[in-house]
Amino acid sequence: LFRDIRESFKEKLREAKSEQMKLELNNQVVTRQRDKFISKCESLKKAIEEIERRNAEVTKAIRDKDEETMQLMNETIEMRRYSNKIRCEKDDMQVRLNEIRSMHKNE
């Protein structure tokens, strides 16, 4: 009876050790997978940070270009105003010149 109990105990002990080894191997696999997952997450986080940094640079460049475009448009409007003013002055001078010529012809 004791021999049967001892054999049964030894068998259960072998099964427990075998199960423990399986669990330890499984734990190692899970740990490696977790470490790989953490590494990928860190890589993705760095990539996201880089994308956000580049996005901020592009946004600033666009804003700067928009400001530059607005400045050029304002300068263009000013140039047109100045050109129209000069054209009006030229027309006024032409009218005066014609009046002076007309006066000289009448004399």
Side-chain angles (χ1 to χ4, degrees):
L1 178 66
F2 286 116
R3 195 175 344 149
D4 290 344
I5 292 173
R6 195 168 63 168
E7 287 299 317
S8 175
F9 179 76
K10 285 181 180 179
E11 182 63 29
K12 296 281 184 198
L13 186 61
R14 276 193 294 272
E15 288 174 7
K17 284 183 180 179
S18 175
E19 186 64 26
Q20 181 183 5
M21 287 178 61
K22 287 179 188 176
L23 290 172
E24 285 175 359
L25 287 173
N26 191 33
N27 188 37
Q28 290 173 0
V29 169
V30 168
T31 300
R32 277 194 302 271
Q33 289 174 341
R34 184 203 64 204
D35 291 346
K36 285 180 186 178
F37 178 76
I38 289 171
S39 177
K40 285 181 182 180
C41 287
E42 289 171 353
S43 294
L44 287 172
K45 182 180 175 187
K46 287 179 184 177
I48 288 169
E49 289 170 353
E50 179 65 16
I51 289 168
E52 287 173 344
R53 185 187 64 76
R54 288 182 183 175
N55 188 37
E57 289 175 359
V58 168
T59 300
K60 183 185 181 310
I62 289 170
R63 193 176 317 116
D64 291 347
K65 284 294 179 188
D66 286 348
E67 289 174 10
E68 185 179 332
T69 300
M70 287 299 291
Q71 173 125 12
L72 288 171
M73 287 172 59
N74 288 337
E75 288 176 11
T76 301
I77 290 168
E78 280 300 312
M79 295 288 272
R80 285 182 184 153
R81 285 181 187 150
Y82 183 69
S83 175
N84 287 340
K85 180 181 175 189
I86 290 176
R87 197 172 294 120
C88 287
E89 288 176 4
K90 177 188 157 243
D91 292 345
D92 288 348
M93 289 183 153
Q94 188 65 47
V95 167
R96 281 192 206 146
L97 181 62
N98 289 342
E99 288 173 352
I100 292 171
R101 286 183 181 155
S102 173
M103 287 171 52
H104 280 289
K105 281 185 182 179
N106 290 340
E107 290 178 359

